[in-house]
C-alpha cells in the first residue's frame, strides 16, 4: 500500500474540491544527471481546458496538447531521468515505470534514474488525478507511459534521419541507440538529445508489438535493490537541510483535548540543546538541536490537558473502548443502504430447505510502517515553503499545506522521498500527519524544522483500519446448493469518511469483498449499515477487502458445511459459468499438489488441514489455499499457495514479491494484530503491545501467475484478502471450531 479502492476513490475525489535548486542530499542524483542544455525533454500531453488550467496553476505555460514540465530527460551521456507520477514505497513502481517507458523508448531500464515528480498537472495520470494507492499506479498509467516512450523514440529517430540525411523508415533502434542498417552507422541517444529536443512531440507515435517486448513481462531487476540492500537508500527521516532544528511532540492523550499549563516548562527549557517549547493544536512540541534531545524534553513536559471544547472536531470520548464499539456494531440495525440486489433474497430464504446465520467481526488495525512519520519544513526568503514529507498524493498535500501556511498552493514545493512503509498510511487524515506541525514550528522559530513522531506518538495518532462487522443469512436448497444470501456490512469505510458518499448510497469501501462476488447464488441482497467510528480511520492495505473477504469466504464454508458439501468443490460448482475464476481456483488447487481439506497426517507427523478462499480485489482475481496445524493452542501456518490473475503483467518478479509481502501482512492481521482502545486511548503505544508476525511464523509462499489477458489489474494489495479466510477455514476443518472474530490469538484452540 500501497491501499485504496481506485474506482471508488476517483469518483469520490470528484466530490471534493518547479522544485528549488538547493535540495537535501537524497535528491542529489538529479544533479548527477545535470540540468545542462541538450537534454531531450518529453511529457504527457495535457487534454482539455481543466488540464490547461491546472498546468497554469502549477506554474506551467502549456500549449494545448503538449507537455509542460518534463517527464523524461535523456542526457548527452545517455543517462535517463524519469520523473514518475508515483511514489516508490517498496511496491516496485519505479522499476515498472522504467520498464514501460524503456520498452517503447528502446532503452535498458537499468539506465534509468527514477524520482517522484513534483506537483503539477502533467502528472495527473489517474483519470485526471494523481495518487499512489489502490494498486492502481501501473494499470492507470500503462498506456500513457508507453506512448511517452514511443514519442521519445520517434523524436530520436527523426533527429537521426536529419543528421544522417536518410529516410526515417530506413532507421531502427537498439537499446540506447539509433541504427542505420544500410550503412552500418549508429548514433547513441545521448548524442541526439539536443537535436531531438528541438522537434515537436509527434502525435500518436507507433507502439512496439507485444510480441517484440524486451522488458515488459520480464523479471527486470529492481532499480532500488542495491541502495536498499547496502543501506544507501534515503528516506524522509534521513534527510537534512542547512540550518535546520529538530523537533518532537507530545500529543494529547485523547483527540479533542488541548494543552494548558505546563508545570515544568522552565526546567525543560533548561535541558541540554533545547531551543524552544511550543503549544500546537492538540499537542506540545520541543524544538532542539538534536532529535533525541527534543524527544526526551517533549516526553518530560508535564502538561495539563483541557477537555474538548463543545465545538471541537474529531473528539474521542473519554469512555470509548473497542469492546463498546464492537457492541455498538452488533446492535446497529438494518436494513441500511443497498449495495447489491440480485433476484429476491427474502422470498428465496423463506422457501429454503435450511437457513444458516452468522456474524463476523474484525478489529481496528494500525499501519505499523517501518518508518515513523516525519516532515521537514523550510520557509524561504521569497515567501515560498519547501516541504519534504512521506506522502501518496503530492498535489493533495500541496493544497492542504498551503491552507495551513496561508499561502497560494504554487508557493508550496512538495518533495516526495521514497516511503519506508506504505499500506495507505500516507494519505491526508485529520490529526494524523506531522507536516502541519512542522510548518507552524518552522514559522515560529524562523529556521527549517525537521519533526519526527516517536513510535509512541505514531501509535497514538495513526489513522486506523476501521473496526467492522458483517451479518449473514443464507438459504440452502434441497439439492444442497445455496439459493439465497443476505448480508449487512456494519460500520464505516474510509471513502465515506474522507470523501463522502451520495445520500442513501453504500460506501464502496465498506462493502467491497461482500458485494459483487462471482458465485452463482441466484438471489442476493447486500447492504451497508453506516455507523461512524470515533477513531480516525484510514485506508489500510486492501481496504475493505482486508476484512470483508474474511467475513464472506469464511461464511461460505459455513454454507458448504451446512449443505454437506466440500467447500472447494462447491466453489468450483458455483463458478461453472465464470471461466476466469474457475480456472484460477483449479490453478491454486494444482499448485498445492491437489486439494485436500483434512484433517490428515503430514509427513512430519503433525495433524493438518487446509482452507481455501477467493477474492476479487482491485481488478485482479486471486485464489488462496493455506495449510495449518496447531502447536500448544496456537495456529502454525506451514504453506500458503496463491494463484493470481492480474489480467496482464509488467514484471513477474515484482508480482511474486508483492504477493509474498501481502501474505505476510494478511497472516499477521489474522493471527496477531489488534488495536485495543480503553478509556478513549489505544492501549498499545509500541510494538511490544502490538505484536506483528515474527519471521519464524512466516510460512512458505508459493505463487502462480495466471495471465488471462483481461484488463490489467492491481498487484500490491490483491494477495492479502484471501489469507485470513483461508487460514480460518483451515482451522475450522482441523479443530471443528469456527472462528468469527479476529485475531486468532484471542482464542485458545484445540483439536476437536
Amino acid at each position: 500500500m500501497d491501499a485504496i479502492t481506485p474506482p471508488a476513490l476517483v469518483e469520490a475525489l470528484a466530490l471534493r474540491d518547479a522544485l528549488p535548486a538547493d535540495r537535501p542530499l537524497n535528491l542529489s542524483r538529479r544533479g548527477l544527471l545535470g540540468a545542462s542544455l541538450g537534454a531531450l525533454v518529453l511529457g504527457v500531453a495535457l487534454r482539455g481546458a481543466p488540464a490547461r488550467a491546472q498546468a497554469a496553476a502549477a506554474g506551467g505555460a502549456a500549449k494545448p496538447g503538449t507537455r509542460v514540465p518534463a517527464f523524461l530527460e535523456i542526457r548527452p551521456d545517455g543517462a535517463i531521468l524519469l520523473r514518475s507520477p508515483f511514489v516508490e514505497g517498496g511496491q516496485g513502481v519505479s522499476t515498472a515505470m522504467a520498464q514501460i517507458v524503456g520498452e517503447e523508448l528502446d532503452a535498458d531500464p537499468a539506465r534509468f534514474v527514477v524520482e517522484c515528480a513534483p506537483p503539477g498537472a502533467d502528472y495527473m495520470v489517474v483519470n485526471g488525478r494523481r495518487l499512489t494507492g489502490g494498486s492502481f499506479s501501473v494499470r492507470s498509467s500503462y498506456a500513457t507511459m508507453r506512448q511517452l516512450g514511443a514519442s521519445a523514440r520517434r523524436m530520436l529517430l527523426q533527429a537521426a534521419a536529419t543528421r544522417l540525411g536518410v529516410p526515417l523508415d530506413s532507421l531502427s533502434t537498439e537499446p540506447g541507440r539509433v541504427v542505420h542498417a544500410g550503412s552500418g552507422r549508429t548514433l547513441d541517444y545521448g548524442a541526439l538529445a539536443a537535436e531531438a529536443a528541438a522537434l515537436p512531440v509527434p502525435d500518436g507515435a507507433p507502439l512496439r508489438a507485444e510480441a517484440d517486448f524486451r522488458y515488459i513481462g520480464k523479471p527486470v531487476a529492481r532499480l532500488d535493490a542495491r541502495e536498499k540492500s547496502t543501506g544507501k537508500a534515503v528516506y524522509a527521516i534521513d534527510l537534512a537541510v542547512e540550518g535546520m532544528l529538530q523537533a518532537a511532540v507530545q500529543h494529547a492523550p485523547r483527540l479533542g483535548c488541548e494543552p494548558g499549563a505546563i508545570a515544568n516548562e522552565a526546567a525543560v527549557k533548561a535541558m541540554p540543546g533545547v531551543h524552544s517549547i511550543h503549544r500546537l493544536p492538540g499537542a506540545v512540541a520541543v524544538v532542539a538541536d538534536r532529535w533525541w534531545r527534543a524527544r526526551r524534553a517533549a516526553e518530560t513536559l508535564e502538561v495539563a490537558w483541557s477537555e474538548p471544547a463543545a465545538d471541537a472536531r474529531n473528539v474521542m470520548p473519554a469512555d470509548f473502548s473497542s469492546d463498546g464499539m464492537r457492541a455498538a456494531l452488533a446492535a446497529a440495525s438494518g436494513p441500511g443502504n443497498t449495495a447489491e440486489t440480485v433476484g429476491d433474497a427474502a422470498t428465496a430464504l423463506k422457501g429454503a430447505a435450511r437457513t444458516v446465520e452468522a456474524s463476523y467481526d474484525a478489529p481496528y488495525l494500525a499501519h505499523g510502517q517501518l518508518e515513523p512519520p516525519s516532515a521537514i519544513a523550510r520557509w524561504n526568503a521569497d515567501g515560498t515553503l519547501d516541504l519534504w514529507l512521506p506522502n501518496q498524493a503530492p498535489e493533495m498535500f500541496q493544497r492542504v499545506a498551503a491552507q495551513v501556511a496561508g499561502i497560494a498552493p504554487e508557493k508550496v514545493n512538495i518533495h516526495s522521498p521514497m516511503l519506508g512503509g506504505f499500506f495507505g498510511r500516507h494519505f491526508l487524515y485529520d490529526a494524523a500527519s506531522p507536516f502541519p506541525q512542522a510548518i507552524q514550528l518552522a514559522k515560529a522559530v524562523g529556521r527549517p524544522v525537521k519533526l519526527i513522531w516517536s513510535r509512541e506518538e505514531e501509535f497514538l495518532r495513526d489513522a486506523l483500519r476501521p473496526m467492522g462487522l458483517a451479518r449473514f443469512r443464507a438459504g440452502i436448497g434441497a439439492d444442497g446448493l445455496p439459493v439465497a444470501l443476505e448480508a449487512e456490512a456494519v460500520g464505516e469505510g474510509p471513502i465515506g469518511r474522507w470523501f463522502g458518499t451520495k445520500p442513501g448510497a453504500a460506501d464502496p469501501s465498506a462493502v467491497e469483498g461482500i458485494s459483487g462476488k462471482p458465485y452463482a447464488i441466484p438471489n442476493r441482497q447486500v447492504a451497508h449499515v453506516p455507523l461512524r467510528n470515533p477513531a480516525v480511520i484510514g485506508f489500510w492495505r486492501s481496504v475493505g477487502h482486508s476484512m470483508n473477504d474474511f467475513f464472506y469466504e469464511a461464511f461460505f464454508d459455513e454454507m458448504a458445511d451446512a449443505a454437506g458439501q466440500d467447500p472447494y468443490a462447491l466453489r468450483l460448482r458455483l463458478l461453472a459459468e465464470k471461466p476466469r475464476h474457475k480456472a484460477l481456483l483449479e490453478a491454486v488447487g494444482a499448485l498445492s499438489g491437489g486439494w485436500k481439506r483434512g484433517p490428515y497426517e503430514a509427513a512430519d507427523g503433525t495433524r493438518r488441514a487446509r482452507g481455501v478462499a477467493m477474492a476479487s480485489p482491485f481488478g485482479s482475481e486471486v485464489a488462496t489455499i493455506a495449510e495449518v496445524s496447531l502447536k500448544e493452542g496456537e495456529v502454525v501456518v506451514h504453506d500458503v499457495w496463491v494463484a493470481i490473475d492480474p489480467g496482464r503483467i509488467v514484471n513477474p518478479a515484482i508480482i511474486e514479491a508483492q504477493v509474498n509481502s501481502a501474505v505476510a501482512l494478511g497472516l499477521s492481521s489474522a493471527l496477531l494484530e489488534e488495536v485495543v482502545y480503553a478509556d478513549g486511548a489505544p492501549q498499545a503505544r509500541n510494538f511490544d503491545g502490538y505484536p506483528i508476525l515474527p519471521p519464524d511464523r512466516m510460512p512458505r509462499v508459493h505463487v502462480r501467475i495466471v495471465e488471462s489477458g483481461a484488463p490489467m489489474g492491481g498487484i500490491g494489495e490483491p494477495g492479502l484478502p484471501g489469507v485470513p479466510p483461508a487460514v480460518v477455514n483451515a482451522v475450522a476443518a482441523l479443530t471443528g471450531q469456527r472462528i468469527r472474530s479476529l485475531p486468532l490469538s484471542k482464542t485458545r484452540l484445540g483439536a476437536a
Side-chain angles (χ1 to χ4, degrees):
M1 277 356 253
D2 57 29
I4 288 180
T5 306
L9 181 59
V10 170
E11 178 183 355
L13 281 167
L15 303 175
R16 176 180 171 176
D17 245 24
L19 292 173
D22 50 338
R23 299 178 172 192
L25 294 178
N26 81 314
L27 297 179
S28 64
R29 289 183 300 168
R30 171 78 190 281
L32 294 175
L33 293 171
S36 59
L37 297 176
L40 167 60
V41 182
L42 299 174
V44 177
L46 300 175
R47 300 184 182 276
R52 292 194 296 275
Q54 290 171 348
K63 294 180 181 179
T66 63
R67 181 189 72 66
V68 183
F71 266 85
L72 189 65
E73 292 184 8
I74 303 174
R75 307 309 310 168
D77 65 357
I80 301 170
L81 169 67
L82 173 63
R83 294 185 188 88
S84 170
F86 306 107
V87 184
E88 178 61 62
Q91 80 280 38
V93 69
S94 293
T95 304
M97 290 295 108
Q99 284 183 254
I100 297 166
V101 174
E103 185 66 72
E104 297 296 345
L105 178 60
D106 205 355
D108 188 342
R111 295 285 290 158
F112 281 66
V113 172
V114 183
E115 65 180 36
C116 183
D122 291 278
Y123 310 111
M124 303 284 194
V125 297
V126 183
N127 294 340
R129 305 281 175 174
R130 182 188 186 187
L131 56 95
T132 306
S135 303
F136 209 45
S137 299
V138 172
R139 57 184 171 132
S140 67
S141 63
Y142 181 72
T144 296
M145 302 309 283
R146 282 188 69 188
Q147 192 62 57
L148 177 69
S151 297
R153 178 176 176 271
R154 189 74 171 182
M155 294 168 73
L156 289 162
L157 285 166
Q158 182 62 63
T162 300
R163 182 188 291 192
L164 297 175
V166 299
L168 181 67
D169 60 8
S170 70
L171 297 173
S172 61
T173 59
E174 295 176 353
R177 62 181 184 171
V178 177
V179 178
H180 183 244
S183 64
R185 289 176 291 177
T186 64
L187 289 168
D188 290 342
Y189 284 174
L192 293 166
E195 295 154 78
L199 298 173
V201 177
D203 187 18
L207 300 176
R208 184 186 296 275
E210 293 187 9
D212 298 330
F213 279 174
R214 282 194 176 99
Y215 307 117
I216 293 176
K218 308 300 192 297
V220 171
R222 289 279 296 261
L223 299 184
D224 53 355
R226 175 173 288 276
E227 288 190 347
K228 289 180 176 178
S229 60
T230 57
K232 295 179 181 178
V234 180
Y235 300 92
I237 58 171
D238 301 317
L239 298 176
V241 297
E242 185 177 356
M244 78 179 190
L245 294 167
Q246 306 215 35
V249 297
Q250 179 191 145
H251 287 109
R254 289 187 291 112
L255 280 169
C257 297
E258 296 296 340
I262 301 175
N264 61 343
E265 187 166 1
V268 173
K269 279 185 178 179
M271 291 177 68
V274 171
H275 176 277
S276 51
I277 297 172
H278 305 264
R279 289 168 175 81
L280 302 170
V284 291
V286 174
V287 177
D289 60 346
R290 301 177 186 175
W291 183 78
W292 182 250
R293 288 174 166 177
R295 176 185 175 176
R296 291 296 300 272
E299 292 174 340
T300 303
L301 289 171
E302 298 173 2
V303 185
W305 298 99
S306 69
E307 285 298 305
D311 59 348
R313 296 179 66 246
N314 296 323
V315 171
M316 174 60 74
D319 62 350
F320 177 74
S321 69
S322 299
D323 288 342
M325 185 65 194
R326 191 175 290 106
L329 291 170
S333 59
N337 300 322
T338 299
E340 180 183 23
T341 300
V342 177
D344 186 346
T347 299
L349 280 164
K350 291 178 183 177
R354 183 174 181 181
T355 59
V356 186
E357 297 185 48
S359 291
Y360 284 77
D361 66 78
Y364 291 115
L365 295 180
H367 287 93
Q369 75 279 3
L370 182 63
E371 178 190 14
S374 68
I376 297 176
R378 181 184 68 194
W379 288 89
N380 303 310
D382 61 358
T384 60
L385 173 67
D386 279 281
L387 280 175
W388 292 264
L389 74 161
N391 73 89
Q392 292 178 239
E395 286 76 13
M396 294 173 68
F397 278 78
Q398 183 187 48
R399 286 199 306 272
V400 174
Q403 294 170 4
V404 173
I407 58 179
E410 58 266 25
K411 291 189 175 182
V412 179
N413 303 310
I414 297 289
H415 309 262
S416 305
M418 73 172 77
L419 302 175
F422 217 120
F423 321 132
R425 175 62 181 93
H426 300 295
F427 280 101
L428 279 166
Y429 308 118
D430 286 349
S433 297
F435 74 92
Q437 299 169 340
I439 293 171
Q440 296 171 67
L441 293 172
K443 188 80 167 180
V445 303
R447 290 173 61 179
V449 169
K450 177 181 181 179
L451 170 61
I452 303 175
W453 283 2
S454 68
R455 186 66 67 185
E456 289 75 14
E457 298 306 316
E458 158 67 351
F459 267 85
L460 186 62
R461 286 292 181 267
D462 190 7
L464 307 174
R465 187 196 74 173
M467 180 182 287
L469 179 144
R471 294 186 285 260
F472 294 92
R473 187 169 182 236
I476 308 299
D479 59 358
L481 297 179
V483 296
L485 176 72
E486 287 184 342
E488 291 179 340
V490 186
E492 182 184 13
I495 289 287
R497 167 69 68 95
W498 299 114
F499 302 107
T501 55
K502 296 177 182 178
D507 181 342
S509 59
V511 296
E512 60 186 4
I514 297 176
S515 64
K517 297 289 280 190
Y519 304 118
I521 301 175
N523 302 283
R524 305 189 298 276
Q525 181 74 27
V526 179
H528 171 215
V529 180
L531 184 67
R532 185 175 175 84
N533 282 271
V536 176
I537 64 170
F539 298 98
W540 195 88
R541 191 171 185 176
S542 75
V543 201
H545 285 279
S546 67
M547 66 177 94
N548 289 336
D549 280 298
F550 157 61
F551 299 157
Y552 189 104
E553 292 291 311
F555 182 71
F556 187 103
D557 271 34
E558 292 204 59
M559 290 193 300
D561 288 341
Q565 304 243 17
D566 176 86
Y568 181 87
L570 181 59
R571 283 176 172 85
L572 277 178
R573 183 164 181 179
L574 296 183
L575 295 173
E577 302 302 319
K578 300 280 187 176
R580 184 183 181 193
H581 300 82
K582 183 173 181 288
L584 198 64
L585 187 57
E586 291 171 336
V588 78
L591 182 64
S592 69
W595 166 254
K596 52 182 178 179
R597 191 184 191 196
Y600 51 84
E601 186 174 308
D604 63 357
T606 57
R607 188 169 178 267
R608 301 186 185 185
R610 292 183 181 180
V612 62
M614 301 283 289
S616 303
F618 309 99
S620 292
E621 299 295 337
V622 183
T624 306
I625 291 175
E627 182 174 82
V628 310
S629 68
L630 294 183
K631 184 178 180 181
E632 298 177 355
E634 290 187 336
V635 176
V636 177
V637 182
H638 299 277
D639 291 271
V640 174
W641 296 271
V642 180
I644 180 169
D645 175 8
R648 305 173 70 184
I649 69 173
V650 171
N651 189 318
I654 289 178
I655 293 175
E656 185 166 352
Q658 284 295 292
V659 170
N660 271 268
S661 70
V663 168
L665 193 51
L667 187 57
S668 186
S669 70
L671 298 182
L672 300 168
E673 294 187 38
E674 179 180 23
V675 173
V676 176
Y677 269 83
D679 301 323
Q683 298 303 285
R685 296 291 295 276
N686 211 317
F687 288 110
D688 59 340
Y690 186 85
I692 61 175
L693 189 74
D696 62 358
R697 295 191 71 176
M698 182 66 188
R700 294 178 292 268
V701 180
H702 316 267
V703 181
R704 176 167 295 174
I705 301 169
V706 179
E707 196 171 3
S708 66
M712 185 178 289
I715 292 301
E717 294 161 283
L720 189 151
V723 176
V727 170
V728 169
N729 288 338
V731 169
L734 182 64
T735 68
Q737 294 174 260
R738 172 56 62 181
I739 307 302
R740 302 188 181 96
S741 180
L742 294 179
L744 287 166
S745 58
K746 297 190 300 185
T747 305
R748 183 76 175 178
L749 296 162

